[in-house]
Amino acid sequence: MEYPFGAIERKWQQVWKEKKIFNAPQKSDKPKYYVLSMFPYPSGVLHIGHASNYSIGDAVTRLKLMEGYSVMQPMGYDSFGMPAENYAILHNSHPRLTTEENIAAMRIQFDGMGFGLDWEREVSTCRPDYYRWGQFIFKRLYEKGLVYRKKSYQNWCEECQTVLANEQVEDGHCWRCNSAVEQKDLEQWYFRITKYADELLDFSKVIDWPERVMTMQKNWIGKSAGAKIDFCMEGSGEKIPIFTTRPDTIYGVTFMALPPEHPLVQDWLAEEPNNKALHDFCRKVINEDKVQRSSAEAIKEGVFSGRYCINPFNGDRVQIWITNYVLMDYGTGAVMAVPAHDQRDFDFAKKYDIPIKIVIQKPDNSLILNEMLEAYTEPGIMANSDKFNGMDSEPAKAAITAWAKTNGWGEQTFTYRLRDWGISRQRYWGNPIPVIHCPQCGIVLVPDSDLPVKLPDNVQVGKTTGNPLLSVPEWLNVPCPQCGEPARRETDTMDTFVDSSWYYARYADPQNPDMPFDPELARHWLPVDQYIGGIEHAVMHLMYARFFHKFMRDLGWVNSDEPFARLLTQGMVTKDGAKMSKSKGNTVDPQYIIDRFGADTLRVFLLFASPPEKDVEWSDDGMMGAFRFLNRVWRLIDTHKELIIQGMNSSDSDAGISEAISELRFEAHHAIYRWLEDALQRMQYNTAIASSMELLNAIIKLKEPEKLNAAELKVYAFACAALPKMLYPFAPHLAEELWQTLGYDKLLHESGLPVYEPRYLIHNSITYVVQINGKIRGKLEVAADTDSETLKTMALAVENVQRSLEGFSVKKIIVVPGKMVSIVAGR
RNA sequence: GCGAAAGUGGCGGAAUUGGCAGACGCGCUGGACUUAGGAUCCAGUGAGGUUAAACUCGUAGGGGUUCGAGUCCCCUCUUUCGCACCA
């Protein structure tokens, strides 16, 4: 017979709701613990990934409550974004309506899973009372010089009709719709995240983050040390600053490489309107899409500009080439090319017959110019480099940089791969940028008192090309806040990653009508103690949020350096070895599982299948295993409840306890010990659940508990009563039901962690393994306090040991206390 | 190409510091029971070997350190992930 999971789950969800036990108090005597799982996009349906993800957060929440913390586990919705807009276009509806419907539907499913969420703190990024404060923060960023506007070539997704940040382009394709990204010259808003590059590289203030995520962010920021050196144009003397990580190769420069976008090149194009070759090449390269142009396989091409610059170190005349392999937005946008020691420059020089000059020799002096098939990029001995000849190339880097500094040619510098964050999106369903363009005053920020700039409802989504906001004249046309003359609103909306960069802080004070949040409340709750989410956010969301946090700290709004002290990147749920997706037809509907087997079964299966950070392969059989386990627990306690209650009221006594009960006592205390270790210390819920299964098996092994004496019954009751507590973080409904069945008044979250007694973890006899040369040859059952001399004698006396030692002599005996006797034997 | 992580039964996975490899679950085999259920209970289950033992082999492959290695070191292979003209 199946246990009545449906009634039990409904009952306890109701009790938790009525008693508001998951509504975190703003003030508490207890220490705070802030558990946060990344908020979902409100698709309207809970999928198995949500169930898995949030089961982890809920386990943390309930464990920390049992441990005595004042726990906050809020939830909300990342509700702006293109899916809602696209859905509305398709179904001829409005994103606001569909989004709110979806939120309502998801809320029901979250509650059906029994998650202990503080719904009084719910935020939804598409609501004016939230996005108002995003606009407010935008203005503060602007005032601090961290927002600017720039015209440049942008990643453009034709499918989504919007630009994308560099982080949102994956392999040349849109991270969302996977269509090819093009280049478009547009004027866009940027956040100056690069100002925080060095601080973002520093992870010393986080408590526990996966190494992998930190490495990914470090690689993304890509700091490299080098030198900035000024070359000068022959004739005009105009400076061309270059950045190089190889100042040691400066005497080997044989040409200069510039991209078509370089300002000097733009000047030359204007000066030489009839230079067809130059114009054609530049136009071709600029229009080429970024994927092709920046792929490693792209063929290097260029044209000679007919101009020269001077290498300050040796006065060499250096040809200036315009090429397709130099990027305008990295370093200074100009490269000193050293074909002998850089593969790209080598390829280019070979193709266009540009001289090659060796300035780093191999230690064995074997590098010969005419025999080189590729660039020599390793360190070596300086050659053809004037006063630096003979030096090792590594120390020469600093020496050469210092020499440049002395002569005023350049200095040491750092360059980053990280670019500023382009936040403009040409879409309707996002947070409007609070700016007005005035023909007289230029860019004017909307006054704080006029915030929020509300999204107009009466747009014709999808009916126009371009940004739908352009089609609402009464919204678009406003008087300038400064001069009162007619002006126009900015129609770009913010990247939704802006909305999710500070939501964790809003939860601390979600209804504040006067500011994003009260700094005092933020200081109480932040940082998030445990953050949980997918690895796909390793770079984007997690880096943006760190940037915002550091900015908010600089404003004095928060007093921590990092938003998320501990980070857990949970695995995904797969089926048939692949990520679940509708197109593959390998999805599992969590609602069906909940209806048929209960939310507790689903939760236990998902947590038991593997450790939280690893993927879970869905298995119907495995899920049935979880269901059977919960049924066995329920049956055990429901069948023996009177007996257990009777046992709990018996008095404790060591006397008159059978061997089997003594063993059960050990098993129970040992299981609790392991459970605490795994669940609390290591967040390894699969083995924590395994301990509770072991305890259940140990209890069930004992038949006819009604025949136990009072002292034995006490032990039996202790073991049984430990089960609900051990199950609470994973199967909370069943746990509460059983706890109540056993006559307890308090709910489990206020009943404390299960407790073991160290004295019951010690057996009075210990099994020693006897090894000969590393192979097990026997076992010894001895009293725990047996000394090692006795152990040696006993080990040698074991029959099988004696047989194995025939023809050998004992060289040495090692005793590992409590574990083994290791005999070293030889002929 | 560069960087990182991982590789354990038929499967998911355990093994806290080098100390009985395979906990727990699934699956499978045999049995009991039956209100035939997506039951329940009992026993078994790494491979070889044996009536049963003994014993041998076994944590991707090869070498090493050690009384003792899944765990530490070196090499190779495979897989996954990230980055990839970044000067």
Side-chain angles (χ1 to χ4, degrees):
Chain A
M1 200 183 87
E2 292 173 356
Y3 85 99
F5 55 86
I8 290 174
E9 293 183 359
R10 279 190 296 277
K11 168 182 165 187
W12 290 102
Q13 283 162 18
Q14 192 59 32
V15 171
W16 297 331
K17 191 175 174 184
E18 278 166 10
K19 300 202 169 188
K20 293 177 173 266
I21 70 168
F22 295 107
N23 295 117
Q26 290 293 39
K27 290 269 176 273
S28 170
D29 301 336
K30 299 171 179 176
K32 70 94 184 178
Y33 200 92
Y34 182 179
V35 184
L36 184 64
S37 300
M38 290 178 187
F39 62 174
Y41 173 79
S43 59
V45 239
L46 189 81
H47 57 72
I48 210 92
H50 295 125
S52 164
N53 204 336
Y54 299 137
S55 291
I56 298 167
D58 203 46
V60 178
T61 297
R62 291 173 192 267
L63 276 162
K64 288 292 163 184
L65 279 168
M66 286 175 110
E67 204 182 351
Y69 285 92
S70 163
V71 180
M72 169 163 86
Q73 182 182 223
M75 182 53 73
Y77 303 95
D78 189 15
S79 49
F80 267 139
M82 283 177 293
E85 197 169 337
N86 294 338
Y87 182 91
I89 292 169
L90 213 61
H91 294 84
N92 201 23
S93 171
H94 192 281
R96 184 178 314 284
L97 299 176
T98 53
T99 300
E100 290 299 337
E101 281 165 16
N102 287 350
I103 286 174
M106 289 189 86
R107 168 70 191 273
I108 291 168
Q109 293 177 82
F110 277 125
D111 287 343
M113 281 295 292
F115 296 138
L117 297 163
D118 184 351
W119 287 113
E120 286 177 8
R121 293 176 184 270
E122 181 189 291
V123 303
S124 175
T125 57
C126 73
R127 293 178 190 151
D129 63 354
Y130 181 84
Y131 70 69
R132 171 181 183 175
W133 302 112
Q135 296 171 5
F136 185 87
I137 294 170
F138 176 96
K139 287 190 63 188
R140 303 293 88 81
L141 283 160
Y142 189 92
E143 288 159 6
K144 294 280 178 190
L146 294 167
V147 179
Y148 65 96
R149 228 161 120 75
K150 185 178 78 176
K151 190 167 191 216
S152 75
Y153 288 90
Q154 296 297 321
N155 303 306
W156 173 264
C157 176
E158 184 62 28
E159 179 71 28
C160 300
Q161 283 285 308
T162 188
V163 299
L164 301 169
N166 289 317
E167 290 85 342
Q168 293 161 5
V169 181
E170 295 170 348
D171 225 3
H173 295 265
C174 173
W175 72 291
R176 198 192 297 276
C177 73
N178 205 33
S179 56
V181 172
E182 306 166 20
Q183 292 308 299
K184 220 171 173 177
D185 196 20
L186 295 162
E187 189 152 32
Q188 296 286 299
W189 291 95
Y190 288 87
F191 283 173
R192 211 179 290 281
I193 190 171
T194 50
K195 200 184 165 201
Y196 284 86
D198 275 314
E199 238 202 298
L200 291 169
L201 276 172
D202 175 15
F203 287 90
S204 62
K205 302 287 170 56
V206 301
I207 294 174
D208 187 17
W209 269 42
E211 203 58 50
R212 186 154 75 116
V213 175
M214 295 191 287
T215 306
M216 280 166 75
Q217 289 201 7
K218 284 176 190 166
N219 289 343
W220 189 265
I221 295 165
K223 182 177 186 173
S224 53
K228 183 181 80 74
I229 290 167
D230 294 326
F231 283 56
C232 293
M233 286 298 297
E234 187 184 50
S236 73
E238 192 175 353
K239 282 180 179 173
I240 313 178
I242 59 94
F243 171 77
T244 182
T245 55
R246 294 294 306 273
D248 52 324
T249 63
I250 191 136
Y251 286 90
V253 175
T254 57
F255 67 102
M256 166 80 59
L258 300 180
E261 296 90 344
H262 196 281
L264 277 175
V265 179
Q266 295 293 314
D267 291 347
W268 302 338
L269 286 169
E271 284 167 23
E272 300 178 47
N274 298 322
N275 188 338
K276 191 167 180 302
L278 190 69
H279 278 269
D280 285 353
F281 179 77
C282 290
R283 192 176 316 117
K284 185 186 134 217
V285 173
I286 286 175
N287 288 339
E288 206 170 37
D289 76 84
K290 228 175 192 167
V291 204
Q292 267 179 33
R293 190 169 154 191
S294 65
S295 89
E297 294 82 46
I299 298 155
K300 289 163 189 48
E301 288 183 301
V303 288
F304 178 48
S305 68
R307 289 151 211 263
Y308 293 86
C309 60
I310 305 298
N311 183 341
F313 274 77
N314 54 11
D316 275 4
R317 216 168 156 241
V318 176
Q319 314 170 12
I320 302 177
W321 285 71
I322 296 150
T323 72
N324 65 344
Y325 74 95
V326 176
L327 306 171
M328 189 57 226
D329 55 359
Y330 182 78
T332 62
V335 169
M336 64 171 217
V338 186
H341 306 295
D342 182 284
Q343 192 55 43
R344 295 154 301 182
D345 300 342
F346 184 88
D347 295 343
F348 193 86
K350 281 283 178 195
K351 178 167 179 177
Y352 292 102
D353 217 15
I354 299 169
I356 299 173
K357 184 180 168 192
I358 293 173
V359 290
I360 310 283
Q361 240 325 324
K362 286 188 185 175
D364 61 359
N365 222 27
S366 62
L367 206 58
I368 297 162
L369 186 60
N370 293 332
E371 293 173 6
M372 284 180 83
L373 295 173
E374 57 178 16
Y376 177 69
T377 56
E378 303 294 305
I381 311 297
M382 302 288 289
N384 296 321
S385 300
D386 285 352
K387 56 188 267 196
F388 300 100
N389 282 339
M391 271 184 92
D392 283 339
S393 62
E394 285 300 315
K397 287 179 179 173
I400 284 182
T401 308
W403 184 238
K405 176 103 177 160
T406 308
N407 292 284
W409 302 329
E411 61 188 352
Q412 198 199 0
T413 184
F414 296 94
T415 308
Y416 301 85
R417 210 186 74 109
L418 179 71
R419 311 291 151 84
D420 279 333
W421 174 15
I423 59 136
S424 283
R425 296 294 179 270
Q426 290 69 43
R427 296 292 294 228
Y428 163 66
W429 195 236
N431 192 358
I433 291 173
V435 161
I436 290 165
H437 297 278
C438 171
Q440 310 298 320
C441 314
I443 286 169
V444 180
L445 294 177
V446 176
D448 284 354
S449 54
D450 290 353
L451 297 184
V453 176
K454 278 197 183 177
L455 273 182
D457 266 340
N458 56 333
V459 289
Q460 299 270 297
V461 179
K463 293 281 166 63
T464 53
T465 56
N467 191 321
L469 287 171
L470 286 163
S471 66
V472 192
E474 64 274 26
W475 180 86
L476 189 65
N477 301 310
V478 285
C480 169
Q482 262 174 35
C483 68
E485 293 298 307
R488 265 175 65 142
R489 285 193 192 281
E490 170 65 60
T491 55
D492 282 354
T493 51
M494 295 186 225
D495 182 1
T496 53
F497 278 106
V498 176
D499 307 321
S500 56
S501 289
W502 66 282
Y503 77 111
Y504 63 91
R506 179 71 177 175
Y507 281 134
D509 189 14
Q511 275 117 37
N512 195 315
D514 305 315
M515 45 184 157
F517 48 85
D518 179 352
E520 202 178 315
L521 288 168
R523 281 196 284 270
H524 172 67
W525 286 110
L526 297 178
V528 173
D529 293 282
Q530 181 66 60
Y531 197 36
I532 299 158
I535 187 74
E536 67 273 20
H537 293 110
V539 179
M540 292 191 268
H541 163 59
L542 288 168
M543 196 174 70
Y544 297 146
R546 292 180 67 221
F547 161 55
F548 262 56
H549 195 80
K550 288 170 199 301
F551 169 68
M552 295 193 292
R553 176 206 57 198
D554 292 345
L555 288 181
W557 295 359
V558 298
N559 64 346
S560 39
D561 289 303
E562 293 283 347
F564 315 119
R566 294 177 199 79
L567 173 68
L568 184 135
T569 49
Q570 96 282 2
M572 62 179 180
V573 185
T574 61
K575 189 161 180 266
D576 311 321
K579 185 176 179 168
M580 286 189 191
S581 73
K582 274 183 206 152
S583 57
K584 289 199 201 86
N586 63 342
T587 55
V588 172
D589 175 17
Q591 196 56 53
Y592 170 75
I593 308 293
I594 294 167
D595 294 342
R596 179 62 193 81
F597 303 101
D600 282 339
T601 289
L602 180 57
R603 292 167 59 132
V604 168
F605 166 70
L606 290 169
L607 292 171
F608 178 65
S610 71
E613 66 277 7
K614 288 185 73 177
D615 288 353
V616 173
E617 168 72 11
W618 179 265
S619 152
D620 286 338
D621 287 329
M623 188 271 301
M624 286 309 297
F627 186 55
R628 281 197 293 265
F629 166 60
L630 296 182
N631 269 297
R632 278 203 298 273
V633 178
W634 184 81
R635 213 177 304 127
L636 169 77
I637 293 183
D638 192 61
T639 309
H640 300 301
K641 53 193 175 220
E642 285 88 7
L643 206 60
I644 298 166
I645 292 167
Q646 185 194 330
M648 290 190 300
N649 298 324
S650 307
S651 58
D652 216 349
S653 159
D654 272 359
I657 282 183
S658 70
E659 190 58 36
I661 283 290
S662 175
E663 186 57 29
L664 177 62
R665 185 168 62 189
F666 168 80
E667 296 274 2
H669 288 269
H670 188 67
I672 293 168
Y673 167 79
R674 290 250 314 268
W675 184 91
L676 288 168
E677 199 72 16
D678 288 344
L680 223 51
Q681 252 65 54
R682 301 205 298 155
M683 286 186 80
Q684 192 167 296
Y685 302 132
N686 55 333
T687 49
I689 292 169
S691 322
S692 61
M693 290 173 169
E694 284 179 72
L695 176 56
L696 175 69
N697 292 345
I699 297 169
I700 288 176
K701 205 166 79 181
L702 200 119
K703 303 294 172 197
E704 301 186 297
E706 52 284 342
K707 291 186 178 165
L708 297 174
N709 67 35
E712 289 173 335
L713 206 53
K714 181 86 183 175
V715 174
Y716 186 80
F718 173 85
C720 290
L723 283 172
K725 282 198 172 186
M726 292 166 78
L727 281 179
Y728 182 62
F730 319 119
H733 310 89
L734 176 62
E736 293 274 29
E737 179 68 21
L738 296 176
W739 193 241
Q740 190 184 53
T741 301
L742 294 181
Y744 292 100
D745 297 331
K746 281 186 179 173
L747 296 184
L748 273 166
H749 73 284
E750 51 186 359
S751 301
L753 292 165
V755 177
Y756 67 92
E757 288 182 47
R759 66 189 167 115
Y760 293 131
L761 294 184
I762 302 158
H763 272 119
N764 40 21
S765 73
I766 295 178
T767 306
Y768 275 81
V769 173
V770 184
Q771 282 189 356
I772 298 172
N773 292 341
K775 289 189 191 299
I776 294 158
R777 285 293 180 264
K779 288 187 183 182
L780 277 176
E781 184 81 16
V782 297
D785 56 358
T786 312
D787 65 78
S788 49
E789 285 311 309
T790 316
L791 277 165
K792 287 178 184 176
T793 317
M794 289 174 78
L796 290 172
V798 174
E799 190 195 333
N800 201 31
V801 171
Q802 292 210 320
R803 180 147 42 88
S804 303
L805 280 174
E806 272 169 33
F808 288 86
S809 61
V810 176
K811 297 250 161 86
K812 195 167 146 194
I813 302 178
I814 297 153
V815 175
V816 183
K819 296 228 161 104
M820 68 181 350
V821 181
S822 184
I823 299 167
V824 188
R827 296 230 176 243

